[in-house]
Amino acid sequence: MHSLAGRHILLGISGGIAAYKAAILTRLLKKAGCDVRVAMTEGAQAFITPLTLQALSGNPVHTSLLDPEAEAGMGHIELARWAEVILIAPATADLMARLAHGHADDLLTTLCLANSACWVMAPAMNQAMWAHPATQRNARQLESDGWTLLGPDSGEQACGDVGAGRMLEPEAIFSALSTLMDELPALAPAGNVLPAAGLTVTITAGPTREALDPVRYLSNHSSGKMGYALATEAIALGAKVRLISGPVALPTPEGVERIDVESALEMQTAAEGALDDSDIFIGCAAVADFRPAEIATHKLKKQAGEAQMHVVLTRNPDIIAGIASHSHERRMAGQPSPLVVGFAAETRDVICYARDKLTRKRLDMIVANDVSTPGLGFGSDSNAATLLWHEHDTIAQQAIDACPKLALAREILLRALTLHHRKTDIGPRKRR
Ligand code: C5P
């Protein structure tokens, strides 16, 4: 049974081109067993008909505040009380502005004002509108009022522009909502503080380079994109972020402290140096398992007639296993210790290898992904993964379908934050 089964979801749809995707979202929610009721603004009805949503949700669609027939069925206050979560997708710039100012000039805004459960929205608009200081101000206001904003995504827009403003895909919204519905009540302390506020997250990212001589090295194809996406999202969730980065061609996300390293040994030194003040440690780097046993002082020269060259390699330390082991010792001694999250990039038997690594390396959680899927993983902007963690005496797991790495990063962080809060015994809190 899906964790969303039986939940009362009020899906609000406002008037943007992404409104047609609300149909897919409704289907996903219904398939998961949710009880879905839909409220549409007037603008939304220009893009998709209430009849479509009625057929998909299996319930009458609510469109007007002043409709005596609808009010006789389920009045707006009753509907607001019924909803465990209000999910608005798409949320237009205008709707965001009205909500940020507490308007109640149509059914959807009135429902939001009258509801005190969990509020989630997926903004969707032209990139210039999203970037406008007024929208950004409204977004901050909404977050501080208790709204969780999912996205927007970046990319090509219906109007031909390219940039941030696209609505997240319905699958990504659905999977983020699943995590939020399970976990966010336990995350957000009263006063709407961001869920990672006050926490330090250390992330390793990118490849390592293992020198053979002054001009050559052994390395791998890691682009660092996943680690950098994690750093970006951890900042958005309010954390202090330290990024220990191998050589990559990526800009440092704003607000992140970046420590550049080359070899596995340098990465290990930086990681161990960060242990003391990290609340969450995420090992996303593709660390070389071996390094040349000796680094030649001068450039190696090929000899005449030499058909082969033998290089002796030495095993590199397993950085994350070392961090996890220190963390474990501290936990046993009752001292503060970071929650340790690893990655398992595999080409076969993905879950099986990931389970083994989770236990063997004494990690708190592992992100397993199949790097043999074309278009996903290494170098790509998207990824799919399964999160695995210890739950009582078993290993729990959560599959996340292919989505932008930023959306995946948020899911990973939300799960890690939940486990961290549980570990530090903050206990469940009400969302607002
Ligand atoms: O064993 P494997 O390399 O597949 O494990 C992957 C996980 O272990 C990743 O989290 C990676 O960052 C970490 N790792 C490490 N040091 C190594 C090898 C892997 O921290 N030497």
Side-chain angles (χ1 to χ4, degrees), residues 255-342:
V256 166
E257 180 201 344
R258 172 166 159 178
I259 302 169
D260 284 314
V261 297
E262 291 237 335
S263 66
L265 291 180
E266 285 173 18
M267 189 171 274
Q268 182 190 35
T269 306
E272 286 180 351
L275 185 67
D276 271 349
D277 70 343
S278 295
D279 298 287
I280 297 178
F281 182 96
I282 307 180
C284 190
V287 184
D289 289 326
F290 291 91
R291 65 180 183 276
E294 279 176 29
I295 305 174
T297 321
H298 296 288
K299 185 180 171 192
L300 294 166
K301 305 300 271 183
K302 52 188 171 297
Q303 307 298 324
E306 189 183 44
Q308 288 185 331
M309 178 189 178
H310 293 271
V311 179
V312 178
L313 300 176
T314 302
R315 187 79 182 249
N316 265 332
D318 192 314
I319 301 170
I320 203 159
I323 294 288
S325 153
H326 289 313
S327 179
H328 193 74
E329 281 163 21
R330 288 182 183 210
R331 216 170 288 174
M332 291 294 111
Q335 294 166 352
S337 58
L339 182 102
V340 184
V341 181

Side-chain angles (χ1 to χ4, degrees), residues 84 116-118 184-192 427-432:
E84 287 177 84
S116 57
C118 180
L184 206 58
L187 292 179
N192 301 312
R429 286 206 177 100
K430 201 134 171 57
R431 170 136 176 71
R432 287 181 295 113

